[in-house]
Amino acid sequence: MPLPKSEVVVRTAGAAGDGIAATGETFAKVCSRSGLHVFAYNSYQSVIRGGFVWLQVRAGRTKVQSHGAGTDFLIALNSRELERHANDVVKGGGILYNKDKVKPKPGLIRDDITQYALPVLDITAKHGKNPILQNTVALGALVKILKIDFSVLSGVLSDTFGSRKKAALEANLAVSQAGYEYAETFETVDFALDLDYNTRRPVMTGNQALALGAVAAGCKFYAAYPMTPASSILHWLAATSTRTGILVKQAEDEIAVLNMAIGAAFAGVRSMVGTSGGGFSLMSEAIGLAGQTETPVVIISSQRGGPSTGLPTKTEQADLFQALGASQGDYPKIVLAPSTVDDCFSSIVEAFNLAEKFQVPVIVLSDLYLSEHMESLDGIDLDFSIERGEFAKPDVGSIDSKNGFKRYAFTESGVSPRSFPGRAGTVFQASSDEHDDAANIISDVFTDEEMRTRMFQKRMRKMERILPELAPPRLEGKNAADLTLIGWGSTYGMIREAVSTLGEEGMTLNHLHIKYMLPFHAKQVKEILESCRNTLTVESNYTGQLSRLIRMETGFDIKHQLLKYDGEPFYPGQIITKVREVNN
Amino acid sequence: MPLPKSEVVVRTAGAAGDGIAATGETFAKVCSRSGLHVFAYNSYQSVIRGGFVWLQVRAGRTKVQSHGAGTDFLIALNSRELERHANDVVKGGGILYNKDKVKPKPGLIRDDITQYALPVLDITAKHGKNPILQNTVALGALVKILKIDFSVLSGVLSDTFGSRKKAALEANLAVSQAGYEYAETFETVDFALDLDYNTRRPVMTGNQALALGAVAAGCKFYAAYPMTPASSILHWLAATSTRTGILVKQAEDEIAVLNMAIGAAFAGVRSMVGTSGGGFSLMSEAIGLAGQTETPVVIISSQRGGPSTGLPTKTEQADLFQALGASQGDYPKIVLAPSTVDDCFSSIVEAFNLAEKFQVPVIVLSDLYLSEHMESLDGIDLDFSIERGEFAKPDVGSIDSKNGFKRYAFTESGVSPRSFPGRAGTVFQASSDEHDDAANIISDVFTDEEMRTRMFQKRMRKMERILPELAPPRLEGKNAADLTLIGWGSTYGMIREAVSTLGEEGMTLNHLHIKYMLPFHAKQVKEILESCRNTLTVESNYTGQLSRLIRMETGFDIKHQLLKYDGEPFYPGQIITKVREVNN
Amino acid sequence: MEIALYKVEAKATWCPGCGDFAVLRALQIALASLELNPKDVVIVSGIGCSSNLPGFLNSYGFHGLHGRAVPVASGIKLANHDLNVIIAGGDGDGYGIGLGHFIHAMRRNLDITYVVMNNQVYGLTTGQAAPTSEKGMLTKSTPQGVLEGPVNPIALALVSGATFVARGFSGDADHLAKLTEDGIKHKGFSLIDIMSPCVTYNRQNTYQWFRERVYRLEEDNHDVLNMDQALKRSREWEDRIPLGIFYKDTKPTYESGEQVLKDMPLVHQPIDRTVELVKELIQDFT
Amino acid sequence: MEIALYKVEAKATWCPGCGDFAVLRALQIALASLELNPKDVVIVSGIGCSSNLPGFLNSYGFHGLHGRAVPVASGIKLANHDLNVIIAGGDGDGYGIGLGHFIHAMRRNLDITYVVMNNQVYGLTTGQAAPTSEKGMLTKSTPQGVLEGPVNPIALALVSGATFVARGFSGDADHLAKLTEDGIKHKGFSLIDIMSPCVTYNRQNTYQWFRERVYRLEEDNHDVLNMDQALKRSREWEDRIPLGIFYKDTKPTYESGEQVLKDMPLVHQPIDRTVELVKELIQDFT
Ligand SMILES: Cc1ncc(C[n+]2csc(CCOP(=O)(O)OP(=O)(O)O)c2C)c(N)n1
Ligand SMILES: Cc1ncc(C[n+]2csc(CCOP(=O)(O)OP(=O)(O)O)c2C)c(N)n1
Ligand code: SF4
Ligand code: SF4
Ligand SMILES: [Mg+2]
Ligand SMILES: [Mg+2]
């Protein structure tokens, strides 16, 4: 990108416990309140204090779809991180550091990089020994360097600390102001960010969007057991519970979590759970229970680096077959994977509608990168409706008698109007055992083979009805391209960026992103792929799970694969390199 | 089959609690000790007393590979069962019943069937009120009708009751003898069974063969939580524990079961668990743990009617993708499916060798029909060896210091020589978190991306090494056939029977049975299938799981599917009908 | 109300003589005498002979997974605390595989009644050792005898915060019906551990065996408010087996402390104004 | 033996001030003073800050799944009962998700020592409520305050058959080292519940908070053989928090009752004559 640049990439690097996440969030909001599009990614480890953490915010005049590569400004919180990251700063960029703590070795910082050595001790002296204030000093300076109005930063700080943390707010305001003022001595930098203080996009993580989607969908019950990278759904929903009216329950384990949610759904409320692979393993038995009892429930599984405990704070997309194969036997279920923060929001609303209309469990597969990265949104799609599916007409007032109600009535669609406890005239027993249409079990005394077959077919018929309700995948970009990039989940933005960067270079590429994993648009995907000249999947796993799914569903053999499983997300650059290689 | 028939099919029908299983076993042994090949299947429900149970024994001069269809003799233990089953008796067959209890409605029993009304009350009067003695009376009569020497029956009874249950033995001997003698009044039947009292094949169920395989393999630890249809592995291993030296532990749940087994394997013994789909769901997290820590363990999952609790006492083959997708992330594991009782035995020996040589979890997929049906064996393959894989040389005598030992050393094969606690010089920590070659975790403080990638590749390299060790699948029957039948697991025998029956009619068919599901012989299977004129899979599930796996692995699209999911096993007749339809 | 109201056509499929018949009947009597409408009652179970109970009784039912009745019931209660939620299941289900849920439920103290048909064996899977089987008991899975000590559900309940802890016996039907009624009436988590003989697989702890040992706490000067006494009694077994209420307490229920349940049960809360709510919440992100 | 023998190069990665440092050191002191060779010691853990402990100590280790340390350790012990098997983990790991295993292990009574670093919070997942969090505690997952009563691990252990039940405190290092040593020496399942403050996420139950409340049982006339007394003391909390051994008992261990372990540990039993064994067993089937 030629100067003046229309976007800026800022990386903060330090250790866990250095307050990097909060600093990043503040800066992201500052950018967004300055009319910029924002994308931020936090690379961290599972240690609580220490370790190697860096957070990168990218902000630009136009939509940004990944956290970017080359860093314009580095905030190095200690010498170790300065050494690790100094060389990632681009020519013309700058490095901010606390000059009392960080002493760059001669030659470490290239000559084409500006050093901003901040006198943190002087600035923070009056405000106690909170080491995290150094970040705020740097923020103040950075805001000045980027020519952003100080009032934006002070506004974000005020909103963050609120009126309840007054002392903290005052200290932060003071030191950021001092940092800002100190930076007036710095040379200015040539950016063309086109600041616009009247546009303020919301900035949130994928998890927050998933949670907000649950609010939109009228979810009333959220159960979870903490697990990275799903925990922040729990945190946000718990924090807002009294405002949203969602009952949030941390249960004793993931088995209880999903069984509780199934109970709540059986009792008539929209209910959801969130976990990651290990917890999903524990839930898997109950997913089959939801399928068999035809209880609607939404299950978020945010994938992280596996196998087993693996890399708990790193991203991966390797739980696709875990979701597809969850629980014994064949039963109807839906697996879908949102790809952007916006999509997280809409996917949950859709997931609830599908779950209730078809009375099936819906698995929403996220991944750490999608769940935890922050993004500014152009606006969330609020034009949705809540569709609860068919209910049996209650026979109000009558004293109830069982088995009159055909809870699992044979219907053409496979969907039988449902009811729930408390309603008159529809008393029934849901059962994990095979049952007849009036919900009597047939496993115990007489396994009526014909009944079994019909009930099985009734359940599975739903899958055929679901598919037409799902938006078929479509090629983005030119129809006739030299190469089609195929992805799922969080790689969406990087692939788009790679496609457009290479497009500018004259390559003709397009992009197929798959959202619905089960049921699968086999016919449409096959047609699309057969029309492609060359194909490349981009996935964060070892075995090429999407390629395998596509071959299973369509027989189509994807030609090339770009696989990454080191825990870090793709960079557009990696995709670009691979595309060049394939296209040679 | 023209008369005189060279095989006989006997069905006993009654309710749970009527002692049908024991009667069936006795009769099966009688046949086997008379030199016949035997195959028996028990169709029952989960109720403990009552319900509709029938057990069918088929015995023949030559190998029998399914429980057969048309019944020659029915032992009807009550009127209800007489009504349900009378019409399944073939022309020229007979029905035995207790004339004091069962009064056939006129016309119910066709004229071409002989009625053997047994005066059970008279016969058993002296022996107390045990209603189950009626079965023994019928057995005595049946043995006589089939012209089997009474001493064979008395021998089996003596061995069954042993010296400890003297009174029961005496009663059984007496009433069976009386039944035998009473039957002397019956017309004899024209069978040509070619009895041979010098040949005695062992008769056992698939589960017993799996258990015996564990004994052969030198398994030392078996943990389980009761679950149909895996429970009888537990029962047999528990009963023989002091003879085999296998420690058998019923744990508090399936999670504990597999974690215990992993602990035992980590400590150096061969260890195994057994369960069915629901329990397998609960185990799935720990399967990934075994993969990640490279701990060898054998997991038997015997499939039953799903989804969820489903049909606990019925057969199905619908847990293939549950096994393939078990646990989050990509990690090395093996999934194999034995197809006959013999194969059960050998598969466990093989599973242990593979598990230990490659330090991976091995999932052995059985199904209710395979696990619970009884079969006579021509002889078990005792020509096996126990291969424990590579061990690190212990550095005996030294006081130990950690991290010297590279437990996960990078090797070309991906297999790193292992060790276990108690050994000097090899102290290390196994970890579910990602780790380096010296077993230090890298998820906590510094996720070395390169180390992560190398360790991942090391683990996965094992999969490439495993495949060549597995016997590639091969077409059984003529190479150029009009139709290839494809199956897995317990359908083996029925498919073979259908193929040979139709072969006698002049059709040219062959048969491909897949044993190794993961890793998969993609190249070989593809080659075979592409050489086939027409293809038909035969599976007990709804979604055609094997077809899907084949398409995923090879891209090959199987043309026809015969799917059954009513809980009962296939009859050769059903396969024959389908083949005729397809070949038209 | 009439007991008949709680009956269904389907006949209970337990073995003749099974203790669970008495438990079913006790529940029917209790529900009738409490005048509860079947539509407002949900019986939740897991898997086991005992867990088939909901199918034999006229009310809503959820017959779920082995060992997971407690969380399902908890979810139901949280979604609609107007319902009368009763858990019915076996000792294997509740004290074996489900033990963790059981204890966490007691410290949670939702207003749920848990009726355990304790036969000290695994019935449905044909007679393996249960966590309640006595040491030394010979079963299919322990032919050398159980090596573990049995769990003590009463004592566990006492130390875990259950507010109504009782033991019943299928051989003492009237007493059982009364206990069941008291348990359902009680606000908070109530445990009724019922010695319910398995006539098929447990030849050791038979009706006769219990009859020779049981006595009623209420006839033995027991103070249900005294935790120390309750704990002492909970350890009685070999010779004297107490029946009745060990301990009773009043503590706020979980649902009464949960703010979002203040106005009405979740299931009745409207979900038609979510767009406004979302718009408001989005402000936090800008 | 020297403590140094139990040290490794890797530095413990806990937050400065974390209670778990004291637990690590207590273990090292205890192992050294018991003269155990690191090769004969296995430390098994689950997942959590505390569960990272095996990586910081020189012995065999198994760092498994969250909540599943107990069954892994049980399997190790059964496979080789010559080993000294110690479980180390957190309160969430052991008393939350792993609660069922914990209780079943106690009634099983394998000779294992369980060291729980109880910080009354989920540390590694950044501060949610634990099963041990006090009622009303504000956490990320309970911003309105925890609504459940805390589990009482000491009481649970007492009623579940543990034969050595003790509480330690990271702020009392010598006492803790001694307790740890006693626990390891004890034949049978020993629980040492250690109040091990999380300085990052639990601002309520701090060192100071404990210092104001703890007292030593051995200095307060406590009889470790008296179950009633132990149970009474196990309920003390608000004002006075007992440290030390609540209860001690001798009962046969599981491994001593298991016939196949009579001669030698499983791992040493030969497996080279299985063909003969199979031939013999096949007789039963003919
Ligand atoms: C996950 C899982 N494991 C095992 C089983 C098999 N199973 C069904 S019932 C049961 C035990 C039942 O015992 P209990 O709860 O005491 O009930 P009872 O039959 O004695 O009344 C078991 C192990 C199952 N259904 N699911
Ligand atoms: C099945 C599963 N669920 C959730 C997690 C996430 N997790 C890791 S540690 C932890 C809690 C740790 O708490 P505790 O055991 O008290 O240890 P501490 O960190 O407080 O020492 C959780 C929930 C996981 N690893 N596995
Ligand atoms: S097996 Fe036992 S518990 Fe089950 S129904 Fe029969 S008597 Fe009752
Ligand atoms: S978060 Fe708490 S428990 Fe974890 S290391 Fe830090 S102080 Fe210790
Ligand atoms: Mg039971
Ligand atoms: Mg903790």
Side-chain angles (χ1 to χ4, degrees), chain A residues 284-401:
Chain A
S284 61
E285 190 190 12
I287 299 176
L289 172 67
Q292 172 75 327
T293 56
E294 309 200 31
T295 308
V297 66
V298 175
I299 299 141
I300 298 174
S301 183
S302 184
Q303 301 162 96
R304 66 187 207 186
S308 201
T309 310
L311 295 174
T313 66
K314 297 293 162 189
T315 200
E316 201 166 88
Q317 305 177 296
D319 302 352
L320 179 52
F321 278 86
Q322 184 189 28
L324 295 170
S327 198
Q328 65 276 16
D330 286 321
Y331 61 95
K333 67 166 176 277
I334 296 173
V335 180
L336 56 85
S339 54
T340 63
V341 173
D342 285 271
D343 198 22
C344 284
F345 177 84
S346 311
S347 292
I348 294 297
V349 179
E350 184 186 11
F352 269 110
N353 285 345
L354 290 169
E356 289 207 323
K357 277 167 64 183
F358 295 100
Q359 304 176 26
V360 294
V362 179
I363 298 167
V364 178
L365 274 181
S366 179
D367 56 50
L368 183 134
Y369 188 66
L370 178 58
S371 277
E372 296 197 341
H373 88 264
M374 261 185 303
E375 209 179 310
S376 57
L377 303 177
D378 281 320
I380 257 179
D381 180 12
L382 294 178
D383 185 21
F384 57 82
S385 59
I386 292 178
E387 299 166 50
R388 302 212 58 185
E390 269 185 274
F391 286 98
K393 272 219 191 69
D395 175 8
V396 185
S398 76
I399 288 246
D400 237 289
S401 111

Side-chain angles (χ1 to χ4, degrees), chain C residues 5-25:
Chain C
L5 197 67
Y6 291 91
K7 296 201 167 157
V8 287
E9 272 167 52
K11 255 181 51 187
T13 56
W14 295 305
C15 308
C18 177
D20 298 352
F21 285 102
V23 180
L24 173 62
R25 186 153 174 89

